[in-house]
Amino acid sequence: MNKEGKFYTILFSFITTFVFVLLLSLLNASTIQRIQDNERLFKIKAILKAFGVEYKNDQEALSNFEKYVKTKRINNVDLYYITSDAQTLYGIVFNGSGLWSNISGFISTDENVEKIVGIEFISQAETPGLGGRIEEEWFKNQFRSEKLVNGTITIQIGGTGDYDHENGKVDAITGATQTSKSLERIINDHLSILRDILGVRQ
């Protein structure tokens, strides 16, 4: 066969492409269960952290989730809840559009949805070094025990961290205004959904 001819070039490209596509398909098929298991574990860890349930390793995370976290489906939304210190805490998974990507996470509150217990992120692909910093501990810690004002949280532009947990405000990440305001909308929308599920008024 003439290796300089067009037919050889086309055949070589076709075979090479076919082999790599086949290998990628086989690799994907062989790892899909592991990927799903890791995604489930990551979600479970986010739920536990948002509820304030500690764990030391993956196995303990799975065990504590089974032991402490209950789930029920209401209005097509999975409601998660735990009983801690004689009070019941509730939470739901949130999803919404950020600046560049879908932002998903978990938010937990007290039983009257008057105070945020915790917030954790499950996935996001915002700008690294800017919006992507929403996963940093200092940012998430602002939400812990934050009292809601008029049933909402405000992410205010400027500052390096608002730890007054009675004013219903947290500081945005500098240079990530759009991600911060998108997150504010996502959280407040899902706080409203949580109130509807629990039948509590603002």
Side-chain angles (χ1 to χ4, degrees):
M1 184 179 291
N2 180 13
K3 294 185 178 180
E4 301 297 327
K6 290 183 179 178
F7 178 75
Y8 176 83
T9 302
I10 294 173
L11 181 62
F12 179 81
S13 299
F14 174 79
I15 293 174
T16 303
T17 302
F18 177 79
V19 168
F20 277 104
V21 169
L22 179 63
L23 289 174
L24 287 174
S25 298
L26 292 173
L27 181 62
N28 181 64
S30 66
T31 59
I32 191 167
Q33 186 61 50
R34 180 177 297 180
I35 292 172
Q36 291 174 346
D37 289 345
N38 285 337
E39 289 176 344
R40 177 175 178 270
L41 178 61
F42 197 78
K43 179 180 176 181
I44 284 174
K45 287 181 174 179
I47 292 171
L48 291 175
K49 289 182 71 175
F51 275 134
V53 178
E54 297 182 351
Y55 57 88
K56 296 176 181 176
N57 50 49
D58 294 350
Q59 192 58 43
E60 190 171 68
L62 293 169
S63 175
N64 285 349
F65 183 80
E66 294 295 326
K67 183 177 181 181
Y68 298 115
V69 181
K70 309 299 181 190
T71 308
K72 65 172 70 172
R73 192 163 180 82
I74 302 175
N75 299 338
N76 293 319
V77 177
D78 288 327
L79 174 67
Y80 298 85
Y81 59 100
I82 68 169
T83 299
S84 174
D85 298 329
Q87 63 174 336
T88 302
L89 308 177
Y90 294 93
I92 57 174
V93 172
F94 61 77
N95 281 290
S97 299
L99 176 60
W100 301 112
S101 68
N102 183 71
I103 299 174
S104 70
F106 187 84
I107 186 168
S108 60
T109 73
D110 64 354
E111 58 188 353
N112 295 316
V113 197
E114 294 176 337
K115 180 179 290 188
I116 294 175
V117 174
I119 182 173
E120 289 293 330
F121 295 95
I122 298 172
S123 67
Q124 59 91 11
E126 296 298 284
T127 310
L130 294 173
R133 296 179 62 206
I134 57 176
E135 294 192 61
E136 292 183 3
E137 291 299 323
W138 74 268
F139 182 72
K140 293 185 295 184
N141 285 340
Q142 294 182 91
F143 291 86
R144 298 194 184 282
S145 300
E146 187 68 35
K147 182 180 179 181
L148 300 174
V149 175
N150 297 321
T152 63
I153 189 84
T154 299
I155 301 181
Q156 57 190 359
I157 307 304
T160 57
D162 185 321
Y163 298 101
D164 177 355
H165 295 299
E166 296 294 320
N167 64 3
K169 297 179 181 178
V170 301
D171 285 347
I173 294 170
T174 302
T177 302
Q178 292 303 315
T179 296
S180 299
K181 300 312 289 184
S182 295
L183 182 60
E184 176 186 279
R185 172 182 47 77
I186 294 168
I187 290 175
N188 286 329
D189 286 349
H190 285 79
L191 287 171
S192 178
I193 292 172
L194 185 55
R195 276 192 292 272
D196 288 343
I197 291 174
L198 296 177
V200 298
R201 295 184 177 180
Q202 181 177 315

